[in-house]
Amino acid sequence: MMISVQTINRAVARSAVGRWFKLDGSGHPKERKGSLFLTEIRAGIAAFFAMAYILAVNASILTDSGGPCVCERTADDPLCNMDDSYLLCLAEVKRDLVTATAAIAAISSFCMGVFSNLPVSLAPGLGLNAYFAYNVVGFHGSGNTPYAIALTATFVEGFVFFGLAVLGLRQWLARAIPQSIKLATSVGIGLFLTIIGFTYSEGLGILQGAQSTPLVLAGCPQTGFGDDGLCTEATKMRNPAMWVGIFAGGVLTVMLMLYRVKAAIIAGILLVSIASWPRTTALTYFPYTPVGDDAFDFFRKVVDFHRISKTLTVQEWDISQHGSQFGLALITFLYVDILDTTGTLYAMARLANVVDPETGDFEGSTAAYMVDALSISIGSLFGCSPVTAFIESGAGIAEGGRTGLTAVTTGLCFFVSVFFAPIFASIPPWATGSVLVLVGSMMMPAAADINWRYLGDAVPAFVTIVVMPFTYSISYGLIAGILLYILINVSVWLIGLASGGRLVPHNKADKDPWSWRIPGGVLPPWMARAARGKRDFWEPYPVGHEQQDEEEARAVESESVRPDEKGSSSASIQGRPTDASAPVEKLA
């Protein structure tokens, strides 16, 4: 007898698995409506396909650092580009890093799903890996910091993050960011995804960077580049791979989603990938070039497990000769990664509709930050740059993922990819480019919730949105937006203070109020429970007493800090305009 999809979903929902992940129908008091077992599995697979490019891209970027290979520099060949023994070592390092990337993505994504119950997957972050390879270590080790020292800084960074997460400081930072900036982060990441989807390295190849203008139209085949590295006018938009990606991977996917066809995103990625594998077509992913031949030889292996031999646990703990470089790398990794991860996790949580409108926090945030922190340290042992939450997780959320089962499935897919790396590393970028653009469009509705009425909120939000895609960095967007928010609003406060309240913006009442004394307090709930003498402080209060955690956190903080008489109201967290002259609810 055939078992129906509904029967499977109901059976799993009623099981211990369903209750752990709070599936719809599990009977859990906080079950997530609309979350179904098979939908979560499908969403995890979709997220994996959107992220699979990281296997090849991360390995390629980190290999440029030279890894642990020793370059015997000469005047004629200072970067060892013609040293055969060095290049053979790099080839081995690249295979090591493919395995390492798959392994840490599998471990971190699985743990993220199990412990935080969020549909967010982790892997070595793009941008951070480029900074690690080209700025910290340098191309073929030409920088000031050796590869082993950089990995040591990464390892230490993970444990610093873990301490911040345990103390609740990372969660406090996420909740203390002004509402307009948090909403702008979702929009900015959506545009960032769109830019990624338009590039050659990870997308359709529609845009290129240029000299006379920041961006130019591209879309030419590999044979269509001129001497300046840009597409010639005669070859622009003539790349067949781009058009197949647009129509088969984009338009077709949208049509399938319009008619609610399940696995629409996966279908689009698979269709474009399969069409790109034959070598005799104009859109092949394996052209008859040395690079294409090498990629095709790897693809033909289909099943291949490569043991990590050169990048495993190569940290150098004697930093006496590189103290300043170690410190600079550690500090840079810290501030870039904390902003990247904070912005990405909040944006993905909001897309999955699991953000608490009262506290501005999301369920499982403490566990999510702790998993992220430990994953950074474990990844460094494998030889990888810092691990972070991936914005491509949005592909899984767009497919219907709402719980940690999505991330668990993605993690299992990465585990399988350890043995099938030749297949998954051969998914062409134009197969996922349209998906990234599609996910970017799904993150745009957050712009409607930004407070555009008051310039003190609107301008920093706008700067956050535009800086992210234009600088190719989530952290730079957050830095720009937060600093501008502080500059504008502190200036308004000082002018009002100096003038005795006579000089204030005419519509200051429209401003979203902000206070560092946010609902839930600075301390994490477990610490508040421990401070108040609860013996099993690691266990939350029973259902129906959830507010006790929040009240205790406030009470513990009030013992050392006197509450300000004008604490922020819940309206400020929800983004509702409030009258500045109206009475303000106290948080403590």
Side-chain angles (χ1 to χ4, degrees):
M1 183 176 67
M2 184 176 295
I3 301 176
S4 68
V5 170
Q6 290 81 4
T7 302
I8 295 174
N9 287 332
R10 283 196 298 267
V12 175
R14 294 168 182 168
S15 69
V17 172
R19 190 169 180 82
W20 178 269
F21 289 104
K22 303 175 185 177
L23 295 176
D24 195 355
S26 65
H28 194 285
K30 293 184 179 180
E31 66 180 30
R32 296 182 184 174
K33 299 300 180 183
S35 57
L36 304 174
F37 174 69
L38 292 180
T39 301
E40 299 292 318
I41 300 300
R42 188 173 67 243
I45 296 173
F48 168 74
F49 277 112
M51 292 174 61
Y53 71 87
I54 195 63
L55 294 175
V57 173
N58 185 61
S60 178
I61 291 175
L62 291 182
T63 300
D64 281 348
S65 72
C69 300
V70 178
C71 174
E72 300 294 341
R73 306 183 190 280
T74 64
D76 295 332
D77 189 17
L79 296 177
C80 297
N81 288 321
M82 296 177 288
D83 186 333
D84 289 340
S85 61
Y86 184 77
L87 295 178
L88 287 173
C89 179
L90 289 185
E92 183 70 11
V93 167
K94 186 173 183 178
R95 287 187 283 269
D96 280 2
L97 289 170
V98 169
T99 301
T101 302
I104 189 56
I107 294 170
S108 57
S109 297
F110 185 89
C111 292
M112 177 67 82
V114 170
F115 296 112
S116 73
N117 199 25
L118 289 173
V120 179
S121 302
L122 306 177
L126 283 174
L128 273 173
N129 57 6
Y131 177 79
F132 180 100
Y134 303 121
N135 295 86
V136 178
V137 182
F139 182 75
H140 287 185
S142 59
N144 296 322
T145 307
Y147 176 74
I149 295 293
L151 288 180
T152 304
T154 304
F155 182 87
V156 173
E157 176 211 356
F159 279 95
V160 172
F161 272 169
F162 186 81
L164 293 177
V166 169
L167 296 175
L169 295 179
R170 289 188 73 178
Q171 299 88 310
W172 177 84
L173 174 65
R175 293 181 299 174
I177 294 174
Q179 178 75 356
S180 60
I181 301 295
K182 287 195 284 190
L183 292 170
T185 298
S186 295
V187 182
I189 288 177
L191 293 178
F192 185 27
L193 276 174
T194 302
I195 288 287
I196 293 174
F198 280 168
T199 62
Y200 271 99
S201 60
E202 298 146 44
L204 297 166
I206 295 177
L207 296 178
Q208 275 185 292
Q211 295 287 338
S212 57
T213 58
L215 295 172
V216 293
L217 186 67
C220 62
Q222 291 298 320
T223 57
F225 295 107
D227 294 336
D228 57 358
L230 302 178
C231 293
T232 62
E233 290 297 327
T235 60
K236 286 184 177 180
M237 303 301 287
R238 299 291 183 90
N239 187 2
M242 178 197 67
W243 289 111
V244 170
I246 290 174
F247 285 101
V251 176
L252 177 62
T253 300
V254 171
M255 294 303 297
L256 293 176
M257 293 180 71
L258 279 173
Y259 289 96
R260 304 183 68 179
V261 175
K262 295 179 179 179
I265 292 176
I266 298 174
I269 294 173
L270 282 178
L271 178 61
V272 178
S273 297
I274 294 172
S276 303
W277 286 337
R279 301 197 75 181
T280 56
T281 64
L283 58 99
T284 181
Y285 188 52
F286 310 111
Y288 290 99
T289 63
V291 175
D293 292 340
D294 181 69
F296 188 67
D297 289 340
F298 185 55
F299 170 73
R300 287 193 302 176
K301 293 180 180 180
V302 181
V303 179
D304 180 56
F305 175 75
H306 176 80
R307 183 186 298 270
I308 302 175
S309 61
K310 290 186 176 296
T311 65
L312 190 65
T313 61
V314 296
Q315 277 80 2
E316 173 57 61
W317 297 104
D318 181 7
I319 62 172
S320 58
Q321 302 298 317
H322 305 278
S324 60
Q325 293 92 337
F326 172 85
L328 179 61
L330 175 61
I331 292 172
T332 304
F333 288 154
L334 278 172
Y335 88 79
V336 172
D337 208 16
I338 197 170
L339 291 175
D340 260 355
T341 304
T342 299
T344 302
L345 279 176
Y346 178 82
M348 294 299 104
R350 191 177 190 282
L351 187 62
N353 197 30
V354 294
V355 174
D356 188 329
E358 289 294 328
T359 65
D361 199 4
F362 51 89
E363 188 178 344
S365 61
T366 299
Y369 289 123
M370 291 170 72
V371 169
D372 171 65
L374 291 178
S375 298
I376 291 172
S377 295
I378 295 172
S380 73
L381 296 176
F382 292 161
C384 289
S385 55
V387 172
T388 188
F390 252 60
I391 52 180
E392 284 82 356
S393 301
I397 298 173
E399 191 68 36
R402 294 295 179 270
T403 74
L405 267 175
T406 296
V408 167
T409 303
T410 304
L412 292 175
C413 288
F414 272 114
F415 175 75
V416 173
S417 74
V418 172
F419 305 96
F420 291 89
I423 298 295
F424 295 115
S426 299
I427 295 175
W430 54 87
T432 58
S434 290
V435 173
L436 299 183
V437 175
L438 178 60
V439 174
S441 72
M442 294 177 180
M443 301 183 74
M444 292 300 105
D449 298 328
I450 295 174
N451 179 20
W452 298 108
R453 299 181 301 278
Y454 183 72
L455 289 179
D457 291 325
V459 175
F462 177 74
V463 169
T464 301
I465 290 171
V466 297
V467 169
M468 284 186 186
F470 291 154
T471 62
Y472 219 70
S473 170
I474 296 170
S475 57
Y476 288 163
L478 277 167
I479 291 170
I482 291 172
L483 290 181
L484 187 59
Y485 181 93
I486 293 172
L487 177 62
I488 292 174
N489 289 286
V490 169
S491 298
V492 169
W493 176 74
L494 290 174
I495 292 172
L497 191 66
S499 65
R502 290 186 294 274
L503 290 177
V504 295
H506 72 283
N507 63 336
K508 189 179 179 182
D510 289 336
K511 180 184 182 300
D512 283 343
W514 177 88
S515 170
W516 70 273
R517 297 188 59 80
I518 53 182
V522 175
L523 298 177
W526 72 266
M527 189 175 291
R529 292 192 292 266
R532 303 295 289 184
K534 189 174 187 292
R535 292 184 178 180
D536 54 342
F537 58 86
W538 57 88
E539 291 286 349
Y541 287 104
V543 177
H545 299 79
E546 294 90 343
Q547 290 184 345
Q548 197 162 345
D549 274 342
E550 186 174 318
E551 292 168 0
E552 290 197 347
R554 295 171 184 165
V556 171
E557 290 170 21
S558 66
E559 293 175 3
S560 57
V561 180
R562 181 180 298 276
D564 187 79
E565 292 186 357
K566 292 186 178 180
S568 67
S569 69
S570 60
S572 69
I573 302 300
Q574 296 177 19
R576 298 196 303 266
T578 60
D579 188 344
S581 63
V584 182
E585 300 174 13
K586 294 183 179 180
L587 286 182

